[in-house]
Amino acid sequence: MWSTFVMTLKTNLRDRQSLFWLIVFPIALATLFNGLLGNLAEGYELKAMPVAVVEDANWTESPGAKTFIDGLSGKSGTGKSGTGTTGDTAGTDDTADTTDTTVTVTKLLDATTVATVDDARDRLADGTAKGYLRVDGDGRIRLTLSSRAAEAMNGTSATDSNGAVTVAALSSVIDLYNRTDAATRDLLQRHPEAMQSRAFWSSIGNIADTTRETSLTNSTPNVTARYFYALLGMACLMAMGYAIAAVTSAQANLSALGIRRTVAPLGRGRQLMAGFLASWLCSDVSLTIALAYIRYVCDVPLGGREPAAVAAVAVASFMACAFGTMIGAIPGLKHSVKVGLTSAIPCTLSLFSGLYGQFAMDLSDWITRHAPVLALVNPAQQVTNLFYDILYYDDYRPFATTCGVLIAMSAVFLAAGVAMLKEQRYEHL
């Protein structure tokens, strides 16, 4: 059995076609994906938006707005912790806390000052600014976008996704400023004595802490990772070619080697087991190389769970070899037909796991929502889910569940393959 294992291993390593599909093909396709989709994630990052700031009489009467806009423009500096972003209606007092604090804010604005609203509209017209900021008579900051910028940020045909993300963030912080400013003005009007309270001014400065960034997943979502995971699902299914070759080489009606193995003293079961284990080892190592390239060269995240990803490849390659064993055991099919199925089946199943672009992604999502049983029995989808479970879930229970599904599939495939091989008899050799 050991000799059969070693010889099968050497044969697999000399099989350039299988090595191409398991190593070269996923690496080449991952490189292509990286080139085409590498900038896709940048479309969802915060980037400073060019705006005009109207410094009119209302602006002059609200120096707190200037401090606020300077912060959004990425200008860090020192200021009294009591002034915050509330404007100057209450002023500051000598008894207020004068501790200097340095505040660093993500740059959301690339601000240019103008004297009037008409000047700001001129900048919107010539495209040098996407919007303008002004202070109204009540001290509230208002953001106005140009129609061109608004169209580019809205709808299914939006071309400025960065701008849409930035505007969403701006709307949130400006709304926080306006609400804080209005509440502070109202409170000081009703209770002027609060102006002398250090605790009051400190509470104003700490309002920003009431909103915190919280991740609902184990890792930050990555819009391109799904394509690479679907690619790994397809590549793993390609590994069944090794198992098909191991089974067909033991069948007397398909090759001269099969005739010699049939009359060999080593039983068929032990021959098939040795071939299966050698195929599993080759496919596991080959796919691990592809996984390493995708993770470290293409920089596709795995949520810091690389060892689990290696285990996922081992489970997926085991399932693929079991699938290949079943296909290799189908009676009446020529070896060339079985080899053709090695490519046809993964390519077809990968359509429903989202490999072929947005349409395939939408189709995969639709199947998962409306026909979950079909997604459950799709090996390519389950292999893709393995890496999703690693990246996004807090614990390993979903990952273990998906591994259980793939192991169950493997048991079914192996049982079917063994049943077909057990019934095969030859009238003559």
Side-chain angles (χ1 to χ4, degrees), residues 45-56:
E45 296 177 356
L46 287 172
K47 292 187 177 181
M49 186 175 72
V51 297
V53 178
V54 181
E55 294 188 349
D56 54 10

Side-chain angles (χ1 to χ4, degrees), residues 23-144:
I23 300 179
V24 180
F25 175 74
I27 287 178
L29 201 55
T31 304
L32 178 63
F33 283 176
N34 197 45
L36 293 175
L37 307 174
N39 296 327
L40 188 60
E42 295 180 3
Y44 297 88
E45 296 177 356
L46 287 172
K47 292 187 177 181
M49 186 175 72
V51 297
V53 178
V54 181
E55 294 188 349
D56 54 10
N58 291 334
W59 178 269
T60 304
E61 294 176 1
S62 182
K66 181 181 186 308
T67 303
F68 178 69
I69 297 303
D70 286 345
L72 295 181
S73 300
K75 298 176 182 178
S76 60
T78 60
K80 296 181 180 181
S81 61
T83 58
T85 61
T86 63
D88 70 332
T89 55
T92 57
D93 189 83
D94 291 340
T95 62
D97 184 8
T98 57
T99 303
D100 287 345
T101 55
T102 301
V103 180
T104 303
V105 182
T106 301
K107 185 176 181 180
L108 296 178
L109 299 177
D110 185 6
T112 303
T113 59
V114 295
T116 65
V117 173
D118 290 336
D119 292 338
R121 289 171 178 167
D122 290 339
R123 290 186 175 273
L124 265 60
D126 61 24
T128 57
K130 294 183 179 180
Y132 66 85
L133 291 164
R134 66 182 180 87
V135 176
D136 63 15
D138 295 325
R140 292 189 294 264
I141 296 177
R142 302 296 188 185
L143 171 63
T144 302

Side-chain angles (χ1 to χ4, degrees), residues 2 14 30-31 41 82 104 106 116 135 139 157 159 162 178 196 229 233 241 244 284-285 330 351 394 420:
W2 174 252
R14 296 190 185 108
T31 304
T104 303
T106 301
T116 65
V135 176
S157 59
T159 58
N162 290 113
N178 289 334
Q196 310 299 326
Y229 294 166
I244 290 176
D284 183 34
V285 172
I330 297 175
L351 170 64
D394 295 333
M420 287 186 286

Side-chain angles (χ1 to χ4, degrees), residues 115-250:
T116 65
V117 173
D118 290 336
D119 292 338
R121 289 171 178 167
D122 290 339
R123 290 186 175 273
L124 265 60
D126 61 24
T128 57
K130 294 183 179 180
Y132 66 85
L133 291 164
R134 66 182 180 87
V135 176
D136 63 15
D138 295 325
R140 292 189 294 264
I141 296 177
R142 302 296 188 185
L143 171 63
T144 302
L145 294 177
S146 69
S147 58
R148 186 189 318 167
E151 290 175 0
M153 298 175 192
N154 293 327
T156 57
S157 59
T159 58
D160 187 9
S161 55
N162 290 113
V165 173
T166 303
V167 167
L170 279 173
S171 298
S172 177
V173 295
I174 290 174
D175 181 62
L176 176 62
Y177 171 88
N178 289 334
R179 286 187 286 108
T180 304
D181 184 70
T184 304
R185 290 171 186 265
D186 179 68
L187 189 143
L188 289 176
Q189 185 177 4
R190 290 185 287 111
H191 301 282
E193 66 276 9
M195 186 183 301
Q196 310 299 326
S197 173
R198 293 185 181 184
F200 171 74
W201 292 112
S202 266
S203 66
I204 299 290
N206 292 332
I207 284 180
D209 292 336
T210 60
T211 301
R212 296 181 177 87
E213 180 179 359
T214 301
S215 177
L216 300 178
T217 59
N218 173 63
S219 181
T220 302
N222 186 292
V223 295
T224 63
R226 185 173 185 179
Y227 294 95
F228 292 93
Y229 294 166
L231 171 60
L232 285 171
M234 178 181 181
C236 286
L237 285 182
M238 292 284 190
M240 64 174 145
Y242 280 137
I244 290 176
V247 173
T248 55
S249 64

